[in-house]
Amino acid sequence: MGANSLHVLKGINFNVEKGELVSIMGSSGSGKSTLLNILGMLDEADSGEYILDGLKVKNLNERIAASYRNEFLGFIFQSFNLINYKTALDNVSLPLYYQGIKRKERTDKAMHYLEKVGLAEWAEHLPSELSGGQKQRVAIARALASDPKVLLADEPTGALDTKTSYEVMELIQGINDEGKTILVVTHEHDIAQMTKRIVNLKDGLIIDDTKVEQVRASSYV
């Protein structure tokens, strides 16, 4: 920040295995967003190593970083980050456009993932015509479209009411059941209990890292 530097993460060791569903918790300022940004190749750590699927992530120019993000990572945001003037189908197919996939294949794949999240009949609707839960489902379909190795979800239920939050978590759990590795940043304890491992950050340090008995969202929905 200008001439001032802020030491956010303080020498943490953090490892996620293929197929895990991990929640990252901590109060505001604990380092959750910084950790997620480093994992998502949006920021780079000043020191230490970050290895993703055997690839050492270091000193990548933006073009290569963007290419790796598109290949390895899917992002789900609290604010959905949909393009307002594009239909649900177009939003989901966008990552495939950047991968150079031809239009028909893009459309077929995007439709497949909209069906997966239960929104096939909403394919031609704009985000303004969708509820919050539907927007988040479109965002999840978009994150899945390029078949990433890892899904990074930053407060995916933060803008949703309780019932819709649990429906979204039921969907996320189902995706994880199929073998997808997912990290969820959340400040909600009930959402964290729906993952399989809870990592607590405080002042840039991991103070607790525990495997938990997963609560199935379907028991609430």
Side-chain angles (χ1 to χ4, degrees), residues 15-209:
N15 186 52
V16 177
E17 299 294 332
K18 186 177 188 294
E20 281 199 275
L21 174 53
V22 182
S23 54
I24 300 170
M25 300 194 76
S27 59
S28 181
S30 62
K32 303 189 302 292
S33 294
T34 300
L35 176 58
L36 202 71
N37 285 348
I38 290 170
L39 297 176
M41 300 189 211
L42 299 170
D43 287 335
E44 192 169 311
D46 299 298
S47 61
E49 279 191 334
Y50 170 31
I51 297 169
L52 174 62
D53 195 43
L55 172 81
K56 192 177 287 188
V57 177
K58 192 74 177 169
N59 299 328
L60 304 179
N61 68 43
E62 182 48 40
R63 186 182 60 78
I64 293 173
S67 172
Y68 282 148
R69 276 197 296 271
N70 206 7
E71 179 183 350
F72 288 117
L73 303 167
F75 293 90
I76 305 166
F77 301 97
Q78 177 178 342
S79 55
F80 320 127
N81 285 13
L82 300 178
I83 297 173
N84 291 327
Y85 58 85
K86 288 191 175 289
T87 64
L89 187 67
D90 286 341
N91 268 284
V92 175
S93 63
L94 199 60
L96 304 172
Y97 170 81
Y98 287 113
Q99 286 186 344
I101 292 171
K102 289 187 167 63
R103 179 185 286 274
K104 182 173 187 321
E105 188 182 347
R106 285 203 309 266
T107 302
D108 289 347
K109 276 193 170 184
M111 201 67 200
H112 166 75
Y113 285 106
L114 279 176
E115 285 170 3
K116 191 176 182 68
V117 300
L119 285 180
E121 66 272 32
W122 295 85
E124 297 304 324
H125 287 251
L126 295 171
S128 60
E129 299 168 319
L130 304 176
S131 69
Q134 287 172 323
K135 288 178 189 173
Q136 194 57 293
R137 284 171 179 270
V138 172
I140 290 169
R142 179 186 58 192
L144 289 171
S146 57
D147 193 24
K149 295 278 198 297
V150 182
L151 284 185
L152 300 175
D154 192 1
E155 300 279 3
T157 61
L160 306 173
D161 62 67
T162 301
K163 179 177 182 296
T164 310
S165 294
Y166 292 170
E167 288 170 354
V168 165
M169 283 307 297
E170 184 180 23
L171 181 57
I172 286 173
Q173 286 180 335
I175 294 163
N176 174 247
D177 291 342
E178 294 172 0
K180 189 71 72 183
T181 309
I182 308 175
L183 278 73
V184 179
V185 165
T186 183
H187 65 275
E188 299 168 277
H189 288 275
D190 54 342
I191 298 299
Q193 290 294 331
M194 294 178 187
T195 67
K196 297 173 180 173
R197 174 181 162 199
I198 302 175
V199 175
N200 272 294
L201 281 175
K202 184 177 182 181
D203 297 331
L205 294 168
I206 292 173
I207 58 167
D208 187 58
D209 185 343

